């Protein structure tokens, strides 16, 4: 694939408007030859026992063969019935029988086993894969310890409403469980670890139970609101042969998808009446467009009402190029607000200020008028649990529907059409003209803001983002992850229109999501013929760098551009803010914010981390003029089907630290 070269001396405002290793083998050869020479064996200080001698020199005793079809082979048949394409996992003994069946009996196809270095990475890969493909993956983990590693990834998936199937190996029968490590890694109920942030879980005790549980788990995970599910799988059940039970061999139930829940007819009509009569209706969306079709439905509703749309960005819900695309401030003058699949309705209509008053407790204020009517369509109301507080603060809603927004939109559109009186059409059209002017003015302000510090070093985040887009704009691109805290510039500047252009964030804001989720999404895009790009933060990568090897091992093409600001800058700002509240800076004679938050001294050379793991990798770019050729070279490195990595020395987010001096 080729990208057009841009003029490296292009004016910053014009730019924004325009784009809105054989020698080593020679050295190693003598060393390899020397290594091949056999070394004489030295006599052992202790003579081997008869048992050791027999074990080392004798003919191995033939093991008893399994009579009949192993249970884990049947489990593979169940998994294959659901057309699960990949299985990212870190190998373990507690599911060794299923592992062997997958690769030998199942031929390592549908699903294909993907070797992961960490369970959290495996889950995050499945997370990213679903958001790019709309299809869930299966992952396996090892008893107590493997599931403990996987929990952050599962919590992210729960908060982000992403389906995946987690199967955890477990040695349940204490009378036959191997002693030592397998017992440390076993539990009566491993699913208890994740029960508060999974939709459903089970522990099958027979092969027929497994087949029903697995199909049920898939069905529950894929019924909106989506979410992860968990199955505890006994090692003995995997290894025992299939046998009749009650005169019948185990069978596989047929999967039939469940229809998503739709809004109550009366509530839909009342919502339509309020929207049709509103002087200034506003639509706020977060995870409303589950599929590409959802974007089209939202456009229909917005244009019917000429209502501005605020896309909060957990999914790609509404085209950024549409004149009705608006900013969060649009709620201030609204008389009717409809929120669809919002993560936090309270924060949509209220403000919170972190200050030093009342012992450090922040202050709240309403952002909307006292008589503003609020409508909510959210399927999350159907699965709210009590322990983890992902349901956010309580907000009083005038018309509340516990339903899937995308499934409810067709009925709502028809109800709005019926509710709009003829004498309202002129006012609605005028509202649209005002929205066009506001959109144009906002785009101009955004471009001006992006041009600030365009030639600065370290590189501004706006410059980084737009230089990336200049390289990929002619491709069918997909921004698979942007965990780099780049001030939301991609959503503000890139012409995002398609569902795969933006996959959203982690859901639970767990650091360590970006790199493995990018690899999982890039795997899906590889099969779909799309180009994947990730804006990768440095601190996030260090949580799970092993996923770099997985991407190279399985030939997953991905352009990863690191936003290398050399610190956890959100935490820097938290520490600085508290220091200001407490008047600490003056007392200490300097800024102590970087203590415990800076990733410097020594600085990490991330390209030298990526290269030996099989990536095409470039070193740090400090001069903004060198960013374009560096990105162009990295893009070329992706073309053969391997991942490529480059990093830019970037300025922290505005309001964070001043640029730190370079140490090398």
């Amino acid at each position: 694939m080729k990208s057009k070269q841009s003029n490296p001396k292009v004016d910053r405002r014009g730019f924004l408007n325009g784009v809105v290793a054989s020698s080593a083998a020679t050295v190693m050869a003598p060393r390899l030859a020397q290594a091949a020479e056999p070394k004489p064996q030295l006599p052992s200080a202790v003579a081997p026992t008869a048992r050791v001698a027999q074990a080392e020199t004798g003919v191995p005793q033939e093991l008893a063969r399994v009579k009949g079809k192993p249970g884990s082979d049947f489990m593979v048949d169940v998994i294959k019935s659901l057309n699960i394409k990949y299985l990212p996992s870190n190998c373990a003994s507690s599911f060794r029988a299923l592992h062997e069946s997958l690769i030998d009996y199942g031929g390592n196809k549908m699903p294909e086993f993907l070797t992961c270095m960490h369970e959290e990475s495996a889950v995050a890969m499945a997370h990213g894969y679903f958001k790019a493909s709309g299809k869930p993956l299966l992952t396996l983990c090892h008893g107590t310890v493997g599931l403990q590693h996987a929990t952050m990834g599962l919590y992210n998936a729960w908060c982000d409403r992403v389906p995946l199937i987690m199967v955890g190996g477990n040695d349940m029968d204490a009378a036959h469980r191997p002693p030592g490590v397998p017992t440390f890694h076993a539990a009566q109920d491993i699913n208890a670890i994740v029960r508060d942030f999974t939709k459903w879980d089970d522990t099958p005790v027979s092969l027929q139970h497994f087949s029903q549980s697995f199909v049920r788990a898939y069905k529950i995970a894929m019924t909106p609101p989506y979410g992860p599910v968990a199955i505890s799988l006994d090692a003995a059940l995997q290894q025992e042969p299939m046998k009749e039970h009650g005169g019948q061999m185990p069978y596989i139930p047929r999967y039939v998808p469940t229809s998503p829940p739709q809004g109550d007819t009366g509530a839909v009509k009342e919502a339509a009446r309020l929207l049709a009569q509103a002087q200034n209706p506003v639509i706020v969306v977060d995870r409303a467009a589950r599929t590409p079709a959802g974007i089209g439905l939202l456009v229909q509703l917005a244009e019917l009402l000429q209502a501005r749309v605020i896309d909060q960005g957990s999914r790609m819900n509404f085209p950024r190029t549409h004149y009705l695309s608006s900013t969060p401030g649009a709620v201030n003058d609204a008389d009717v607000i409809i929120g669809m699949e919002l993560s936090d309705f309270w924060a949509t209509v209220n403000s919170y200020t972190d200050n030093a008053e009342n012992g450090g407790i922040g202050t709240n204020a309403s952002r909307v008028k006292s008589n503003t009517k609020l409508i909510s369509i959210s399927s999350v109301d159907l699965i709210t649990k009590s322990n983890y507080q992902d349901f956010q603060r309580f907000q009083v809603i005038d018309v509340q529907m516990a339903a899937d927004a995308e499934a409810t939109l067709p009925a709502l559109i028809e109800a709005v059409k019926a509710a709009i009186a003829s004498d309202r059409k002129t006012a609605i059209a005028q509202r649209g003209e005002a929205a066009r002017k506001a959109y144009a003015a906002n785009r101009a302000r955004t471009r001006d803001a992006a041009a600030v510090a365009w030639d600065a070093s370290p590189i501004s985040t706006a410059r980084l983002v737009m230089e990336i887009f200049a390289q990929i704009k002619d491709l069918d691109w997909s921004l698979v992850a942007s965990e780099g805290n780049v001030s939301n510039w991609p959503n503000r500047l890139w012409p995002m229109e398609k569902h795969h252009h933006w996959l959203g964030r982690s859901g639970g804001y767990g650091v360590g999501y970006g790199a493995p989720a990018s690899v999982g999404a890039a795997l899906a895009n590889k099969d779909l013929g799309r180009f994947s790009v990730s804006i990768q933060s440095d601190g996030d990568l260090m949580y799970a760098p092993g996923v770099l090897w997985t991407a190279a091992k399985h030939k997953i093409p991905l352009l990863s551009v690191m936003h290398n600001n050399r610190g956890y800058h959100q935490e820097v700002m938290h520490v600085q803010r508290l220091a200001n509240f407490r008047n600490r800076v003056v007392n200490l004679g300097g800024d102590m914010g970087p203590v415990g938050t800076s990733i410097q001294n020594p600085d990490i050379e991330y390209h030298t981390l990526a290269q030996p793991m099989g990536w095409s990798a470039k070193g740090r770019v400090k001069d903004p003029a060198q960013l374009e050729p560096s990105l162009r070279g990295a893009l070329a490195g992706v073309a053969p089907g391997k991942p490529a990595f480059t990093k830019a020395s970037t300025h922290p987010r505005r309001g964070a630290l001043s640029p730190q001096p370079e140490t090398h």
Side-chain angles (χ1 to χ4, degrees):
M1 58 185 65
K2 296 181 180 180
S3 60
K4 297 179 181 178
Q5 297 184 19
S6 59
N7 185 344
K9 297 182 180 179
V10 68
D11 175 76
R12 58 186 180 180
R13 296 176 188 271
F15 180 91
L16 287 161
N17 281 312
V19 295
V20 171
S22 61
S23 59
T26 304
V27 173
M28 290 298 294
R31 298 182 185 177
L32 293 173
Q34 293 173 9
E37 296 177 1
K39 294 183 179 180
Q41 288 189 341
L42 298 177
S44 173
V46 180
T49 64
R51 180 179 177 184
V52 171
Q54 173 64 22
E56 292 183 351
T57 63
V59 177
Q61 183 179 359
E62 185 174 353
L63 299 175
R65 296 293 188 259
V66 174
K67 296 179 180 179
K69 183 175 182 177
S72 55
D73 284 4
F74 174 70
M75 294 175 182
V76 171
D77 291 336
V78 176
I79 294 168
K80 282 180 174 289
S81 74
L82 294 165
N83 296 317
I84 298 172
K85 195 166 187 178
Y86 299 105
L87 194 163
S89 180
N90 183 252
C91 56
S93 60
S94 61
F95 56 81
R96 62 181 184 175
L98 181 55
H99 186 169
E100 189 278 333
S101 290
L102 284 163
I103 59 178
D104 287 329
Y105 173 74
N108 198 31
K109 293 180 180 179
M110 298 296 288
E112 176 186 349
F113 200 104
L114 305 179
T115 310
C116 296
M117 302 290 100
H118 195 283
E119 289 87 354
E120 184 177 343
S121 293
V123 175
M125 282 182 64
H127 188 157
Y129 182 91
F130 174 81
K131 291 203 288 188
S133 68
K135 299 182 183 299
L137 294 186
L138 163 68
T139 184
L140 306 174
C141 73
H142 177 48
T144 54
V145 293
L147 195 53
Q148 288 173 44
H149 279 309
T151 50
M152 184 64 250
L154 281 171
Y155 185 66
N156 274 335
W158 165 261
C159 294
D160 203 23
R161 313 307 165 196
V162 167
L164 62 91
I165 300 96
M166 166 65 73
V167 172
N170 191 20
D171 285 283
M172 296 182 63
D173 190 343
H176 299 93
R177 177 192 300 151
V181 174
T183 298
F184 279 114
H185 294 174
Q188 296 180 40
D189 181 12
I190 62 171
N191 290 335
I193 303 172
V194 298
R195 189 160 290 137
D196 280 323
F197 45 91
T198 50
K199 279 189 75 176
W200 184 78
D201 70 86
D202 199 13
T203 303
V205 297
S206 69
L207 292 175
Q208 185 59 61
H209 187 173
F210 172 84
S211 69
Q212 293 175 355
S213 288
F214 196 88
V215 175
R216 187 193 301 272
Y218 188 97
K219 188 178 179 74
I220 290 173
M222 285 296 289
T223 301
Y226 299 141
V229 291
I231 292 177
S232 174
L233 187 57
D234 183 31
L237 183 62
Q238 301 170 52
Q239 296 184 189
E240 71 176 28
M242 288 182 65
K243 55 182 179 292
E244 289 188 5
H245 182 74
Q248 185 180 37
M249 294 294 287
Y251 66 91
I252 304 172
R254 182 167 56 94
Y255 168 65
V256 179
T258 302
S259 298
Q262 298 184 32
D264 171 75
T265 301
V268 168
K269 289 182 177 179
E270 176 61 12
R273 183 187 67 81
L274 291 172
L275 290 166
Q277 294 178 0
Q279 298 301 312
N280 188 23
V282 171
I283 301 169
V284 187
V285 289
D286 198 19
R287 293 186 180 86
R290 286 186 291 103
T291 70
I295 296 177
L297 291 169
L298 279 167
V299 170
Q300 285 186 54
L301 179 64
E303 291 181 347
L304 185 62
L305 292 164
Q306 292 298 307
R308 298 186 194 182
V309 179
I310 302 168
D311 190 340
Q312 295 182 336
S314 290
R315 292 293 186 278
M316 179 65 207
N317 297 286
F318 195 79
R320 303 293 188 268
T321 55
H322 198 288
Y323 67 92
L324 290 172
S325 178
S326 191
T327 60
V331 302
N332 296 354
D333 297 321
D335 56 346
V336 175
I337 298 171
I338 180 167
M340 301 188 192
E341 303 291 353
L342 302 189
S343 299
D344 191 348
F345 210 132
W346 186 91
T348 300
V349 297
N350 292 279
S351 63
Y352 175 87
T353 303
D354 183 10
N355 56 35
E357 297 176 6
N358 303 320
I361 299 174
T363 56
N364 309 323
S366 176
R367 299 176 58 201
V368 299
K369 297 179 291 186
S370 59
N371 61 346
T372 299
K373 296 294 185 182
L374 304 182
I375 304 166
S376 173
I377 308 176
S378 178
S379 59
V380 177
D381 293 339
L382 299 169
I383 60 167
T384 299
K385 296 190 179 184
S386 58
N387 190 16
Y388 291 87
Q389 303 292 294
D390 58 289
F391 46 80
Q392 300 292 324
R393 294 176 67 161
F394 184 77
Q395 177 62 47
V396 175
I397 304 293
D398 297 288
V399 180
Q400 186 157 3
M401 288 173 258
D404 178 69
E406 184 172 317
T408 305
L409 271 169
L412 180 61
I413 290 169
E414 293 305 313
V416 168
K417 288 179 180 178
I420 294 177
S422 299
D423 58 0
R424 294 287 303 140
K425 293 182 179 179
T426 300
I428 290 173
Q430 291 174 347
R431 196 159 61 211
E433 289 304 312
R436 288 180 188 275
K437 294 177 181 178
Y439 176 81
N442 180 62
R443 295 295 292 175
R445 286 193 298 270
T446 301
R447 285 193 296 270
D448 288 343
V452 174
W454 185 258
D455 296 317
S457 179
I459 298 165
S460 73
T461 51
R463 176 77 180 260
L464 174 69
V465 165
M466 291 311 294
E467 292 280 11
I468 293 171
F469 183 70
Q471 297 302 315
I472 66 170
K473 61 186 177 65
D474 295 326
L475 307 173
D476 186 15
W477 55 270
S478 176
L479 182 56
V480 291
S482 180
E483 289 299 298
N485 292 323
V486 288
S487 300
N488 204 35
W489 283 120
N491 279 285
R492 295 162 68 185
L493 291 169
W494 292 13
M496 294 185 176
E497 296 176 326
K498 299 178 181 178
H499 198 254
H500 61 269
H501 279 169
W502 168 251
L503 302 186
R505 303 176 184 87
S506 64
Y509 297 92
V511 182
Y513 162 88
S518 295
V519 172
L523 176 64
N525 285 332
K526 172 187 175 182
D527 294 340
L528 294 166
R530 302 170 186 155
F531 183 85
S532 300
V533 60
S534 171
I535 301 175
Q536 176 64 54
S537 62
D538 44 9
D540 177 272
L541 178 61
M542 294 310 294
Y543 271 61
V547 78
L548 297 173
W549 180 87
T550 299
K553 164 72 175 176
H554 296 286
K555 297 180 174 56
I556 301 172
L558 167 65
L559 173 59
S560 182
V561 183
M562 174 169 281
H563 166 37
N564 185 205
N565 61 12
R566 304 166 302 286
Y568 294 103
H569 282 281
Q570 177 168 288
E571 282 62 42
V572 169
M573 290 186 284
H574 278 303
V575 174
Q576 289 175 328
R577 191 170 183 82
L578 281 174
N580 289 333
F581 287 164
R582 298 167 179 177
N583 199 28
R584 306 282 198 192
V585 175
V586 174
N587 294 338
L588 292 173
D591 180 10
M592 301 298 287
V595 176
T597 60
S598 173
I599 311 175
Q600 289 182 283
N601 301 319
D603 289 3
I604 302 169
E605 294 296 345
Y606 295 95
H607 64 288
T608 62
L609 177 67
Q611 283 171 343
M613 294 203 198
W615 285 57
S616 170
K618 304 290 183 181
R620 179 189 297 181
V621 179
K622 305 174 185 178
D623 182 356
Q626 297 302 312
L627 188 55
E628 186 269 342
S630 176
L631 289 168
R632 180 160 30 88
L635 184 69
V638 181
K642 66 183 295 185
F645 179 94
T646 189
K647 66 174 181 175
S649 181
T650 47
H651 194 287
R653 286 182 294 166
R654 293 173 188 171
L657 288 174
S658 299
Q660 295 295 303
E662 294 292 342
T663 56
H664 60 87

